[in-house]
Amino acid sequence: MQKIKLNDEIIIIAGKDKGSIGIVTKMVDSKVLVEGLNLAKKHVKPNPNKGVTGGITEIEMPLSISNVAVYNPTTKKADRVGIRTSKKGIKERFFKSNDKSIA
């Protein structure tokens, strides 16, 4: 079981967007794509066959998992995540600071 998953609300703890909160949209190996964060400018050539206009566009770049942490809405801070087995035998993730499970 992973500590960070798709659609998790995360906070960036290192880099140019430090302190920003976003939602994970894609997982790539040990990197994550966060919605609307870590943007880079890309120069795009026009392609009339595909209907692409040229110019400068902003695209989301992947962040290393080590630079993000799960955001805890009750404490409004970054938090560490633990994994435990419930009484029914199901694995669940929980916040280490206040021992509440992650929805």
Side-chain angles (χ1 to χ4, degrees):
M1 183 172 246
Q2 296 176 342
K3 304 218 175 176
I4 296 176
K5 291 184 169 186
L6 282 177
N7 299 321
D8 272 353
E9 192 172 16
I10 57 105
I11 185 166
I12 298 177
I13 56 175
K16 67 177 185 177
D17 290 327
K18 181 178 180 178
S20 301
I21 299 168
I23 295 175
V24 175
T25 57
K26 189 175 181 183
M27 302 281 294
V28 183
D29 295 328
S30 62
K31 295 182 182 267
V32 293
L33 270 158
V34 182
E35 184 178 347
L37 298 176
N38 200 30
L39 298 173
K41 294 189 183 221
K42 176 142 175 86
H43 295 262
V44 179
K45 237 178 159 177
N47 189 345
N49 294 334
K50 293 183 179 177
V52 176
T53 58
I56 302 169
T57 60
E58 288 189 335
I59 60 168
E60 298 166 352
M61 297 299 290
L63 282 163
S64 177
I65 286 182
S66 64
N67 294 337
V68 299
V70 179
Y71 179 73
N72 189 343
T74 56
T75 60
K76 296 187 173 51
K77 293 182 182 176
D79 207 346
R80 292 180 5 194
V81 175
I83 299 168
R84 66 179 169 211
T85 308
S86 67
K87 294 176 183 176
K88 295 179 181 178
I90 300 169
K91 284 186 179 180
E92 65 179 4
R93 297 182 304 152
F94 68 98
F95 292 119
K96 293 244 181 163
S97 66
N98 57 1
D99 210 37
K100 288 188 178 179
S101 63
I102 301 173

